[in-house]
Amino acid sequence: MKAIELVGKLAIRTNPIKLGRDFITEENNYDYSYTNEPIRILKVTDNHILTTHKGTKLEKIFRNDIHILDKRWNDDNWTDYEELIKMEEYDEK
Protein backbone atom coordinates (compact mmCIF):
# COMPACT_ATOMS: atom_id res chain seq x y z
CA MET A 1 0.00 0.00 0.00
CA LYS A 2 1.28 3.48 -0.77
CA ALA A 3 2.00 5.82 2.11
CA ILE A 4 -0.39 8.44 0.73
CA GLU A 5 -3.28 5.99 1.23
CA LEU A 6 -2.51 5.89 4.96
CA VAL A 7 -2.56 9.59 5.85
CA GLY A 8 -4.02 10.00 9.34
CA LYS A 9 -3.61 6.30 10.15
CA LEU A 10 -1.12 4.14 11.98
CA ALA A 11 1.09 2.43 9.43
CA ILE A 12 3.82 -0.17 9.47
CA ARG A 13 6.40 -1.17 6.86
CA THR A 14 6.03 -4.47 5.04
CA ASN A 15 9.61 -4.39 3.71
CA PRO A 16 12.78 -2.50 4.60
CA ILE A 17 14.25 0.15 2.35
CA LYS A 18 17.45 -0.58 0.48
CA LEU A 19 20.20 1.84 1.50
CA GLY A 20 22.73 0.66 -1.05
CA ARG A 21 25.66 -1.73 -1.23
CA ASP A 22 28.48 -2.01 1.27
CA PHE A 23 31.68 -0.95 -0.48
CA ILE A 24 33.82 -3.63 1.17
CA THR A 25 31.51 -6.66 1.40
CA GLU A 26 29.35 -5.72 -1.60
CA GLU A 27 26.29 -6.83 0.37
CA ASN A 28 23.07 -4.82 0.25
CA ASN A 29 22.35 -2.70 3.31
CA TYR A 30 18.76 -2.36 4.48
CA ASP A 31 16.95 -0.14 6.98
CA TYR A 32 14.31 -2.12 8.87
CA SER A 33 12.91 0.91 10.71
CA TYR A 34 9.13 0.89 11.11
CA THR A 35 8.82 -2.81 10.19
CA ASN A 36 8.02 -3.80 13.79
CA GLU A 37 6.57 -0.63 15.35
CA PRO A 38 3.89 1.56 13.79
CA ILE A 39 4.00 5.28 13.12
CA ARG A 40 1.22 7.70 12.26
CA ILE A 41 1.46 9.19 8.79
CA LEU A 42 0.47 12.87 8.83
CA LYS A 43 1.21 14.05 5.31
CA VAL A 44 2.78 12.72 2.13
CA THR A 45 4.37 14.72 -0.69
CA ASP A 46 6.45 13.54 -3.63
CA ASN A 47 9.64 13.92 -1.59
CA HIS A 48 8.67 13.56 2.08
CA ILE A 49 6.51 11.70 4.56
CA LEU A 50 5.67 13.54 7.77
CA THR A 51 5.11 11.21 10.71
CA THR A 52 4.53 11.19 14.44
CA HIS A 53 4.44 8.56 17.17
CA LYS A 54 1.10 9.81 18.52
CA GLY A 55 -1.09 6.85 19.39
CA THR A 56 1.81 4.40 19.64
CA LYS A 57 3.67 3.02 22.63
CA LEU A 58 6.61 5.26 21.72
CA GLU A 59 4.51 8.42 22.17
CA LYS A 60 5.83 8.94 25.71
CA ILE A 61 9.39 9.04 24.40
CA PHE A 62 8.89 11.10 21.24
CA ARG A 63 5.81 13.08 22.38
CA ASN A 64 4.05 14.74 19.44
CA ASP A 65 7.28 15.53 17.60
CA ILE A 66 6.97 15.47 13.83
CA HIS A 67 9.55 13.43 11.94
CA ILE A 68 10.33 13.63 8.24
CA LEU A 69 11.18 10.62 6.10
CA ASP A 70 12.82 11.26 2.73
CA LYS A 71 11.53 10.04 -0.63
CA ARG A 72 13.17 6.61 -0.27
CA TRP A 73 10.34 5.77 2.14
CA ASN A 74 7.63 6.93 -0.26
CA ASP A 75 6.85 3.57 -1.82
CA ASP A 76 4.17 0.91 -1.68
CA ASN A 77 5.69 -1.06 1.21
CA TRP A 78 3.28 0.20 3.88
CA THR A 79 0.19 -1.37 5.41
CA ASP A 80 -2.56 -0.24 7.76
CA TYR A 81 -1.41 -1.26 11.23
CA GLU A 82 -4.93 -1.52 12.67
CA GLU A 83 -5.96 -3.88 9.85
CA LEU A 84 -2.79 -5.92 10.32
CA ILE A 85 -3.39 -6.60 14.00
CA LYS A 86 -7.13 -7.07 13.65
CA MET A 87 -8.01 -10.59 14.73
CA GLU A 88 -11.75 -11.02 14.97
CA GLU A 89 -11.57 -14.58 16.31
CA TYR A 90 -9.16 -13.46 19.02
CA ASP A 91 -11.19 -10.35 19.87
CA GLU A 92 -14.36 -12.40 20.41
CA LYS A 93 -12.79 -14.53 23.18
Side-chain angles (χ1 to χ4, degrees):
M1 184 175 282
K2 293 189 179 286
I4 197 156
E5 299 172 60
L6 296 164
V7 171
K9 296 182 178 183
L10 288 177
I12 194 162
R13 295 281 300 171
T14 57
N15 286 307
I17 64 163
K18 184 177 176 182
L19 297 175
R21 295 177 70 84
D22 184 284
F23 181 72
I24 297 170
T25 66
E26 296 186 11
E27 294 178 358
N28 288 325
N29 290 322
Y30 295 95
D31 186 339
Y32 285 85
S33 298
Y34 316 114
T35 58
N36 62 348
E37 291 293 332
I39 57 173
R40 184 170 306 279
I41 296 179
L42 300 174
K43 183 178 182 178
V44 178
T45 68
D46 289 340
N47 296 307
H48 299 97
I49 300 175
L50 278 67
T51 68
T52 183
H53 286 90
K54 186 173 181 168
T56 73
K57 64 183 179 182
L58 296 176
E59 181 178 8
K60 289 183 180 181
I61 297 169
F62 293 105
R63 299 179 307 277
N64 289 335
D65 293 352
I66 294 175
H67 303 273
I68 300 175
L69 302 175
D70 63 38
K71 64 182 175 181
R72 292 176 295 176
W73 298 89
N74 198 355
D75 57 19
D76 61 354
N77 289 310
W78 294 94
T79 193
D80 185 319
Y81 178 74
E82 297 295 334
E83 288 296 317
L84 176 67
I85 64 168
K86 189 176 190 179
M87 296 175 37
E88 293 173 16
E89 292 178 16
Y90 182 76
D91 291 340
E92 291 175 4
K93 293 181 180 181

